[in-house]
Amino acid sequence: MSEPTAARKQTLKESLRLQQFLRDLEDELAWVREKEPLAKSEELGQNRMVAQNLLKKHDAFLNECNTHEQLIKSLGAIADQLISSDHYASKEIENRIRELHGRWDELKSQSERRHKILQDSLLAQQVRLYFGAFTSF
């Protein structure tokens, strides 16, 4: 194979790898954007049943987050490989993975805060129910 052909083949391989990385990264960014309103929600529920259901839904969301965290870690490893191999789009890769990590960290923080608030809300509803039953005697 001639040298220009080999160089062109390598450039095409790098371009394909970049496009696959950017597609996967954009998929994760879209997922994070979609879930941000859920993590930021202030809804607590007006009674014990609603509070309990909200907490169950949030627990399912946290499990979903764990799956996506693995995908995001994998994207970080791919980004590191691309950057360390002096990929021609290293700066773009660096910027995009930084954006993903920043949004991911914010989502995790907000969802952990929400989980704590939902637990507290459920406890408050249970205490109200208990004391309501106690005072009715």
Side-chain angles (χ1 to χ4, degrees):
M1 194 179 314
S2 70
E3 204 171 299
T5 304
R8 177 74 177 141
K9 183 177 179 180
Q10 182 61 32
T11 301
L12 288 172
K13 281 183 181 180
E14 287 178 12
S15 180
L16 175 62
R17 204 160 168 215
L18 173 66
Q19 294 307 313
Q20 289 170 332
F21 168 78
L22 291 176
R23 181 201 61 218
D24 293 343
L25 184 134
E26 191 53 46
D27 287 347
E28 288 307 305
L29 274 172
W31 183 85
V32 168
R33 282 187 215 107
E34 176 187 321
K35 299 303 179 179
E36 283 173 341
L38 179 63
K40 291 177 181 178
S41 174
E42 297 295 327
E43 184 182 358
L44 300 177
Q46 300 301 318
N47 60 48
R48 186 182 59 83
M49 285 298 266
V50 175
Q52 199 168 30
N53 286 336
L54 286 170
L55 185 58
K56 283 180 184 178
K57 286 180 183 179
H58 194 74
D59 286 341
F61 166 66
L62 292 176
N63 287 334
E64 192 178 356
C65 284
N66 289 335
T67 300
H68 282 270
E69 184 168 30
Q70 297 309 311
L71 295 170
I72 290 169
K73 285 180 181 179
S74 175
L75 283 170
I78 292 168
D80 290 344
Q81 290 171 352
L82 290 169
I83 292 166
S84 69
S85 71
D86 290 330
H87 193 279
Y88 69 85
S90 289
K91 287 292 181 197
E92 179 184 4
I93 294 166
E94 218 174 298
N95 291 336
R96 296 302 308 265
I97 200 69
R98 188 178 311 118
E99 176 188 4
L100 176 61
H101 283 147
R103 290 191 85 142
W104 173 250
D105 290 344
E106 182 66 22
L107 181 69
K108 274 182 62 174
S109 173
Q110 290 171 343
S111 62
E112 288 167 1
R113 179 191 63 77
R114 175 144 175 79
H115 190 259
K116 174 75 172 115
I117 290 170
L118 287 171
Q119 287 177 322
D120 291 347
S121 174
L122 179 58
L123 181 60
Q125 294 293 344
Q126 289 170 335
V127 167
R128 274 191 209 111
L129 185 65
Y130 174 76
F131 281 113
F134 181 74
T135 57
S136 67
F137 284 114

